[in-house]
Amino acid sequence: MKFFNRLSRILRRNVPYAIFSWRYLLPGQSAVVRLHKLVFLHAFLGESRVVWFVIALFSYTRWFAFQGWIQLWTVWKKLSPVLQEETGITRNKQFADLLKLVFGQTTPPLFYYSYRLYCYSTIEWLNFIYTHELPNWHLLMSPNLGEKTRNTLTDKAVFAQEMQKRGLPVIKGDVIVKGSIVSNKQLFRQSSLFLKPLCGSQQNGIYRLFYQESSGGYSLILSEDDEINNCEQIITFVQSLINEQDYLVQPMLQNHPVLQVFSSFKTLITIRLITICTDNKAKAISAVLELPRNDYSGYIYALPVDVCEGIIEKITDFPVTYSDEMCQMLRRFVGQAVIHWRELVDVALRAHTNFSDLYSIGWDLAVTPEGVKLIEGNINWAVAPHQLNGPALMPYFIKYAKPNLKQTK
């Protein structure tokens, strides 16, 4: 049943699981082309080639027959007038480029605008890593990934325990086990709490329980327009969550005052730091400062940070998907330093040495009034925020993936 559920999720995807490019058929392929080809050919590690073929046949037939056309038309119709007004690139030229991207490289058309691919030649488009290649991309780069590493990074409580043993500054929390009865004592502690699935990801199922010290009341935030203020109803709602899965309850972290100036919202500002590990040595390769767009949605603005200096880097150009107001606001932060940067990097590097079988990890960290906090490590981390300013990630994968690249020759 587990296999069929997984297969069903894959087949319901409205984008291909990897890039399928005509360049794969050419002689003398570059390392970049071979790396994308490797992900395409060796996706779904552990499954039989028959399963791989069925998924590929269905996925790419669906993409070429109608899904690619639908997305191309929808994105072009919405964003091409904006880009033409800003850059002078005609809508016809954009449409022609999108045809090459969507069908010559089986890549969702939105990346043409979010990655600013119109600034690059078509061969340079493969210098980027694309979201629809995940998680196959990350798993392929770590062929020796063990179950212990996978389980530790998946289970947030186990992760906190293991990192605390190694002297790293983690966030303590309590687990409410699936199916158990939620009590007042677990939720109403005269302090604000952060509730998240024990093994969840991508902000799904996350809730904030605010405590109002002046009134002694509690508010569980569901969305921008919806919250629960009655304690009995809060218990009932959380109980419905616990009936489905384990939850981790943690103290709600506050931003360091120096960091809080970057945002007008109370939501925690996080630092996503990418490290790679080769020959048991960890190295930081990319970082972004994640600013909340509001207090409710979980969406963020990603500002590139110089890994060595901790300085917010100049943004060459913003995607057309950003409004003028967003761009003006974000430009104000260029050149400013992220507090406690060296400690942030040091914590991430020390953490990665415990998972030497995993090539790259996306770390979530925060800086609070009490100092640096390590929140979690991600196996299937998002590549897009680290490439909005250019294809900064690919050189590291090319350099250290040489043994794997031989498989495609």
Side-chain angles (χ1 to χ4, degrees):
M1 181 62 69
K2 187 175 181 180
F3 165 76
F4 288 106
N5 288 337
R6 180 168 175 263
L7 183 61
S8 176
R9 287 196 301 271
I10 293 171
L11 296 179
R12 288 201 307 268
R13 281 172 56 113
N14 61 3
V15 296
Y17 64 85
I19 286 175
F20 177 43
S21 171
W22 59 272
R23 298 184 189 278
Y24 296 168
L25 305 176
L26 299 179
Q29 298 165 8
S30 68
V32 168
V33 173
R34 296 203 310 275
L35 191 51
H36 284 288
K37 182 179 178 181
L38 183 71
V39 176
F40 167 71
L41 292 175
H42 296 270
F44 313 114
L45 292 174
E47 303 292 355
S48 69
R49 300 309 291 172
V50 172
V51 171
W52 176 89
F53 179 78
V54 170
I55 295 173
L57 182 63
F58 179 88
S59 178
Y60 293 101
T61 300
R62 187 183 184 205
W63 181 255
F64 284 105
F66 62 91
Q67 195 60 244
W69 291 103
I70 293 173
Q71 293 189 29
L72 188 156
W73 176 256
T74 303
V75 171
W76 176 81
K77 185 177 180 181
K78 179 180 180 180
L79 297 179
S80 62
V82 181
L83 185 62
Q84 178 172 288
E85 182 179 348
E86 289 188 358
T87 66
I89 301 175
T90 66
R91 298 186 71 193
N92 288 340
K93 172 66 165 61
Q94 293 177 55
F95 194 87
D97 284 347
L98 289 174
L99 285 173
K100 298 174 186 176
L101 181 68
V102 172
F103 300 112
Q105 191 179 294
T106 62
T107 298
L110 186 59
F111 283 107
Y112 182 77
Y113 299 95
S114 62
Y115 276 5
R116 296 180 296 109
L117 296 180
Y118 47 84
C119 297
Y120 304 87
S121 65
T122 54
I123 184 60
E124 291 179 300
W125 291 354
L126 287 175
N127 290 343
F128 291 85
I129 304 169
Y130 295 89
T131 300
H132 69 303
E133 297 179 277
L134 309 182
N136 292 308
W137 182 284
H138 290 314
L139 294 177
L140 194 69
M141 295 301 107
S142 303
N144 299 316
L145 176 62
E147 280 302 310
K148 182 179 180 180
T149 290
R150 189 191 299 270
N151 293 336
T152 301
L153 290 176
T154 300
D155 189 311
K156 296 176 176 62
V158 172
F159 172 78
Q161 293 169 3
E162 292 298 317
M163 295 301 97
Q164 185 179 19
K165 291 178 182 177
R166 289 158 176 77
L168 293 170
V170 295
I171 312 164
K172 297 180 180 179
D174 300 313
V175 177
I176 305 180
V177 180
K178 176 183 176 181
S180 62
I181 303 301
V182 181
S183 67
N184 289 352
K185 184 178 179 181
Q186 289 173 309
L187 297 182
F188 307 129
R189 310 178 187 180
Q190 296 185 329
S191 63
S192 297
L193 299 175
F194 193 73
L195 288 71
K196 58 185 178 181
L198 187 62
C199 299
S201 62
Q202 299 179 345
Q203 300 291 321
N204 295 325
I206 288 177
Y207 298 93
R208 288 182 288 276
L209 180 63
F210 286 101
Y211 170 68
Q212 289 85 33
E213 190 172 349
S214 58
S215 64
Y218 294 86
S219 298
L220 183 68
I221 307 301
L222 304 183
S223 67
E224 184 174 1
D225 303 314
D226 193 12
E227 62 182 57
I228 304 175
N229 298 301
N230 179 278
C231 289
E232 290 185 5
Q233 293 177 357
I234 291 175
I235 287 286
T236 300
F237 181 85
V238 174
Q239 184 66 64
S240 68
L241 301 176
I242 301 304
N243 290 339
E244 298 296 327
Q245 61 184 316
D246 299 335
Y247 257 76
L248 182 64
V249 180
Q250 296 175 320
M252 189 179 298
L253 299 182
Q254 304 296 319
N255 292 312
H256 191 286
V258 174
L259 208 57
Q260 186 62 64
V261 299
F262 288 95
S263 176
S264 59
F265 302 107
K266 296 179 181 178
T267 301
L268 189 67
I269 297 171
T270 54
I271 295 90
R272 171 57 66 87
L273 189 60
I274 308 303
T275 59
I276 58 174
C277 188
T278 58
D279 299 325
N280 294 318
K281 293 181 180 180
K283 175 182 177 63
I285 64 169
S286 184
V288 293
L289 185 68
E290 298 181 333
L291 302 181
R293 295 196 180 191
N294 54 51
D295 278 324
Y296 310 99
S297 67
Y299 293 115
I300 57 98
Y301 299 113
L303 293 176
V305 181
D306 181 270
V307 175
C308 298
E309 302 297 331
I311 304 294
I312 296 176
E313 297 181 303
K314 180 180 179 181
I315 301 170
T316 306
D317 194 13
F318 289 98
V320 295
T321 51
Y322 281 25
S323 68
D324 291 339
E325 184 180 357
M326 292 180 195
C327 298
Q328 292 175 8
M329 183 268 292
L330 296 175
R331 283 194 179 96
R332 299 202 312 266
F333 303 130
V334 173
Q336 297 191 39
V338 178
I339 189 173
H340 297 324
W341 184 253
R342 294 189 185 281
E343 184 178 354
L344 285 163
V345 174
D346 179 66
V347 167
L349 295 179
R350 288 166 56 199
H352 200 153
T353 58
N354 298 284
F355 307 103
S356 59
D357 56 337
L358 185 56
Y359 173 67
S360 67
I361 302 179
W363 300 102
D364 289 331
L365 302 106
V367 183
T368 72
E370 291 75 37
V372 171
K373 295 292 182 182
L374 176 61
I375 301 174
E376 62 185 11
N378 300 275
I379 298 174
N380 186 30
W381 51 273
V383 294
H386 301 269
Q387 299 177 102
L388 296 179
N389 218 30
L393 299 175
M394 186 63 81
Y396 295 99
F397 286 92
I398 292 297
K399 181 177 180 180
Y400 296 109
K402 290 178 181 178
N404 288 332
L405 289 174
K406 294 177 182 178
Q407 297 179 32
T408 64
K409 292 184 178 180

